[in-house]
Amino acid sequence: MDEFDWIARYLKPIAPSPEAMGLSNDVGKLLSHSGSVRIATMDTLAAGTHFLKTDPLDLVGRKLVRVNVSDIISKGGLPEQVLLSIALPDGFSEQEFETLCHGIGGELQQRGISLIGGDTIRFSGPLTLTMMMTGRCELKGPTHRNGAKPGDVLIVTGVVGAGYLGLQVARTGNTGVYLDHYRCPEITEEQWAGVISDFATSSLDISDGLLADASHLADASRLAFSIDLDQVPWAAEPSDLEEMLALATGGDDYQALFTVSADRFEKFETLASERGLFFQQVGSVSEGSGVKIHRSGVAIPLPSVKGYTH
Amino acid sequence: MDEFDWIARYLKPIAPSPEAMGLSNDVGKLLSHSGSVRIATMDTLAAGTHFLKTDPLDLVGRKLVRVNVSDIISKGGLPEQVLLSIALPDGFSEQEFETLCHGIGGELQQRGISLIGGDTIRFSGPLTLTMMMTGRCELKGPTHRNGAKPGDVLIVTGVVGAGYLGLQVARTGNTGVYLDHYRCPEITEEQWAGVISDFATSSLDISDGLLADASHLADASRLAFSIDLDQVPWAAEPSDLEEMLALATGGDDYQALFTVSADRFEKFETLASERGLFFQQVGSVSEGSGVKIHRSGVAIPLPSVKGYTH
């Protein structure tokens, strides 16, 4: 291939911002705003690990953007710019490259995010995509993991388990709505960024699994997080406890999980309702350590594996 | 492995800046300065493509940092922060991970650059490292590729061909100074950033090869670049023209190549001398297009391949 031709033909058109300088100036310019703090995240997706080699490449491209957006929004930020590294396996065709770029570019455009630079290589591994994304936060900066306080309520912004269900469907070769979510997740709505920034005392996005990510907040805050499994908005009604725990530990949910102070909860609830934002209270924070789960007040032993390590 | 343990043990210690937030807050904070423009670059190095699987991993880590620094300095910027993605092959050991991080961390520390975030994955490919680096420029922004003017002189900041010679040595299994350069290149000195920002009308770093990268400047500026091969500071005296052309097209030099207006050249020369910075004038710019090479005024036909596409 002539890599330069591919960059000019497929990447340059999806990088129209002035800061990208046509992707032909070796570097891109980062935006800067007085009165705000800028944050950055980076995620790598590899074929065979984070997506299936048979997944449609435009959806892989969209997923790459969304998993990064999910990180930014869940910390109270609004996504702005990206740099992109594409490591292509031998034999990757121009048409495949076009489809991949179409997915990345479409998702970036819909969300008003600008591609400003990156790198494209050929190598002997599977298709591997790395995206670095910047976001803009209020002056106080991103919400931390360690800010939860005893008495806080634990909130999730969408259904839990869709990624897990989708992976099961994908492995059988069937299709359906869960497969779509696995391939290209529904993530936390962008409107949540401002609400999280305003109200969340601790936050992250659920990528490893509900229980694993709740553990991360609990450990960072040095408190106990108690989750009522019957309050969790499952992607599909689990048939038994075993399935429920699978949904709670499968990961790839890309919904925000955060804590809100009990005395601000009413105000939070009103604002979320006014903006038409779905959320569910799934637990609470108290003195102690680690994650505890229960149903109707009865403690349930934690599964040995709380999540999926990517 | 427990990936979290490795991150805590080996990556967190090399990310001490406040903006990294201990690498445990999902995102890092980007620095911002009034009165300057911030730029970003991203490079991916894969085992078997950009380094040999037998190369010492601490040098691989240092090379990863240096190739990004080279991009920033060559555009007139000073490096500041990085995000890092590490894709580990199956069987990569904890000791190997430690060695790699030691190289990355040592190089970052020596250069005062802060690691603020990233991603670590396991996958089925070869060790693949992606680094995104930010840099600070004067308010006018990074030097562009397209600013050369007729009459400008063409400057290189160091020797050409060391990367090529090193790769030849590496392939034979021998050792020596050129091997060191291939594994961990000597790059443009950081002091050049301010001089390039002040004087260069167009610039980039030589990664594809002297002739290929001179072509990039010539094409972007829509002018002809003429290079006197006898003026080029070769890493080793070539035995014949064929070898000279190999050095001019081998790539991996990581020295800055830039143009300076003829009427400012004397001032440029004085400043570079005062600061003890080595440079060599290797050619000039005129109306026309493309790169032309000559020796003692006699035109030499361009080789069919002007550089190495990474």
Side-chain angles (χ1 to χ4, degrees):
Chain A
M1 78 159 180
D2 188 330
E3 187 184 298
F4 292 120
D5 285 348
W6 286 19
I7 293 171
R9 207 171 295 169
Y10 305 111
L11 285 173
K12 201 174 157 177
I14 69 170
S17 83
E19 290 77 22
M21 297 180 278
L23 295 186
S24 51
N25 198 32
D26 309 294
V27 294
K29 288 183 196 163
L30 289 167
L31 291 171
S32 186
H33 315 271
S34 57
S36 65
V37 165
R38 286 174 46 264
I39 58 175
T41 186
M42 183 186 259
D43 271 306
T44 297
L45 302 183
T49 306
H50 305 87
F51 58 91
L52 303 178
K53 290 186 182 181
T54 50
D55 284 348
L57 286 166
D58 56 336
L59 295 185
V60 170
R62 288 185 178 274
K63 182 173 184 170
L64 177 68
V65 177
R66 291 187 184 194
V67 299
N68 279 284
V69 170
S70 176
D71 269 321
I72 297 287
I73 292 176
S74 299
K75 306 306 281 191
L78 289 168
E80 289 194 327
Q81 294 177 299
V82 295
L83 282 88
L84 169 67
S85 159
I86 305 179
L88 299 168
D90 290 328
F92 200 80
S93 73
E94 181 172 343
Q95 198 189 326
E96 289 175 301
F97 192 80
E98 179 177 11
T99 305
L100 175 67
C101 291
H102 187 260
I104 294 170
E107 191 72 24
L108 290 177
Q109 192 184 15
Q110 283 165 27
R111 296 178 178 275
I113 302 167
S114 302
L115 172 65
I116 60 162
D119 197 10
T120 303
I121 69 160
R122 286 266 181 192
F123 81 142
S124 62
L127 178 64
T128 302
L129 307 165
T130 298
M131 181 169 276
M132 191 289 300
M133 184 176 286
T134 68
R136 189 174 74 247
C137 281
E138 301 293 317
L139 257 188
K140 63 182 170 184
T143 313
H144 288 226
R145 285 187 176 192
N146 66 359
K149 296 278 177 267
D152 283 2
V153 297
L154 182 63
I155 306 287
V156 66
T157 57
V159 297
V160 171
Y164 170 80
L165 291 168
L167 180 57
Q168 305 312 310
V169 174
R171 284 181 172 151
T172 63
N174 291 327
T175 55
V177 59
Y178 301 124
L179 179 61
D180 292 349
H181 180 89
Y182 174 74
R183 287 176 168 170
C184 184
E186 290 300 321
I187 64 170
T188 308
E189 286 177 77
E190 197 165 304
Q191 279 200 77
W192 271 113
V195 183
I196 288 171
S197 177
D198 197 1
F199 286 92
T201 54
S202 71
S203 75
L204 46 51
D205 74 325
I206 306 175
S207 55
D208 294 341
L210 172 64
L211 302 191
D213 287 312
S215 281
H216 296 151
L217 295 182
D219 294 349
S221 300
R222 298 170 188 274
L223 291 168
F225 276 47
S226 172
I227 296 176
D228 182 349
L229 294 180
D230 288 328
Q231 293 298 314
V232 177
W234 304 112
E237 197 53 45
S239 56
D240 54 22
L241 180 63
E242 191 186 353
E243 195 181 325
M244 189 180 277
L245 293 177
L247 299 180
T249 55
D252 274 345
D253 293 307
Y254 304 111
Q255 292 295 330
L257 182 71
F258 58 92
T259 51
V260 173
S261 162
D263 57 16
R264 294 193 73 206
F265 182 72
E266 204 174 319
K267 203 171 166 191
F268 162 82
E269 196 173 20
T270 304
L271 184 66
S273 299
E274 277 171 11
R275 298 196 181 174
L277 295 170
F278 170 85
F279 71 91
Q280 182 76 40
Q281 179 181 348
V282 296
S284 59
V285 180
S286 61
E287 300 288 353
S289 69
V291 165
K292 299 172 201 317
I293 54 178
H294 61 90
R295 295 184 73 177
S296 315
V298 180
I300 308 279
L302 278 179
S304 57
V305 175
K306 282 178 290 190
Y308 178 80
T309 302
H310 291 83
Chain B
M1 78 159 179
D2 189 332
E3 186 185 300
F4 292 120
D5 284 349
W6 286 21
I7 293 171
R9 207 171 294 169
Y10 305 110
L11 285 172
K12 201 174 157 177
I14 67 170
S17 83
E19 291 76 21
M21 297 181 279
L23 295 186
S24 52
N25 197 33
D26 309 294
V27 293
K29 288 182 197 165
L30 290 166
L31 291 171
S32 186
H33 315 270
S34 57
S36 64
V37 165
R38 286 174 44 265
I39 58 174
T41 185
M42 184 185 259
D43 271 306
T44 297
L45 302 184
T49 306
H50 305 88
F51 58 92
L52 303 179
K53 290 185 184 184
T54 51
D55 284 348
L57 285 166
D58 57 334
L59 295 184
V60 170
R62 288 184 179 275
K63 181 173 183 171
L64 177 68
V65 176
R66 291 187 183 194
V67 299
N68 278 283
V69 169
S70 175
D71 268 322
I72 297 287
I73 292 176
S74 299
K75 306 305 282 190
L78 289 167
E80 290 195 326
Q81 294 176 299
V82 296
L83 282 89
L84 169 66
S85 160
I86 305 179
L88 300 168
D90 291 327
F92 200 80
S93 73
E94 181 172 343
Q95 199 190 324
E96 289 175 301
F97 192 80
E98 180 177 10
T99 306
L100 176 66
C101 291
H102 187 261
I104 295 171
E107 191 72 25
L108 290 176
Q109 192 184 15
Q110 282 165 27
R111 295 179 179 275
I113 302 168
S114 302
L115 173 64
I116 60 162
D119 197 10
T120 303
I121 69 162
R122 286 263 181 195
F123 81 143
S124 62
L127 178 64
T128 302
L129 307 165
T130 299
M131 183 168 274
M132 191 290 301
M133 184 175 284
T134 68
R136 189 175 71 247
C137 281
E138 301 293 316
L139 258 187
K140 64 183 170 183
T143 312
H144 288 227
R145 286 186 176 192
N146 66 359
K149 297 278 176 268
D152 283 1
V153 298
L154 182 64
I155 306 287
V156 67
T157 56
V159 299
V160 171
Y164 170 81
L165 290 168
L167 180 58
Q168 306 310 309
V169 175
R171 283 181 173 151
T172 63
N174 291 327
T175 56
V177 60
Y178 302 124
L179 179 61
D180 292 347
H181 180 89
Y182 173 75
R183 287 176 167 172
C184 185
E186 290 299 322
I187 64 171
T188 309
E189 286 177 78
E190 196 164 304
Q191 279 200 77
W192 270 113
V195 183
I196 289 171
S197 177
D198 196 3
F199 286 91
T201 54
S202 70
S203 75
L204 45 53
D205 74 325
I206 307 176
S207 55
D208 294 342
L210 173 64
L211 301 191
D213 287 311
S215 280
H216 297 152
L217 295 182
D219 294 348
S221 300
R222 297 171 187 273
L223 291 168
F225 275 47
S226 173
I227 295 175
D228 181 349
L229 294 179
D230 288 328
Q231 293 299 313
V232 176
W234 304 112
E237 196 53 46
S239 57
D240 55 23
L241 180 63
E242 190 184 356
E243 195 181 326
M244 188 180 278
L245 293 177
L247 298 180
T249 55
D252 275 344
D253 293 308
Y254 304 111
Q255 292 294 331
L257 182 71
F258 58 92
T259 50
V260 173
S261 162
D263 56 16
R264 295 194 70 205
F265 182 72
E266 204 174 319
K267 203 170 164 192
F268 161 83
E269 197 173 19
T270 305
L271 184 66
S273 299
E274 277 170 10
R275 298 195 181 174
L277 295 169
F278 170 86
F279 71 90
Q280 181 75 39
Q281 179 180 347
V282 296
S284 58
V285 180
S286 61
E287 299 286 354
S289 67
V291 165
K292 299 172 201 318
I293 53 178
H294 61 91
R295 297 184 72 177
S296 315
V298 180
I300 308 280
L302 277 180
S304 56
V305 174
K306 282 178 290 191
Y308 178 79
T309 302
H310 291 82

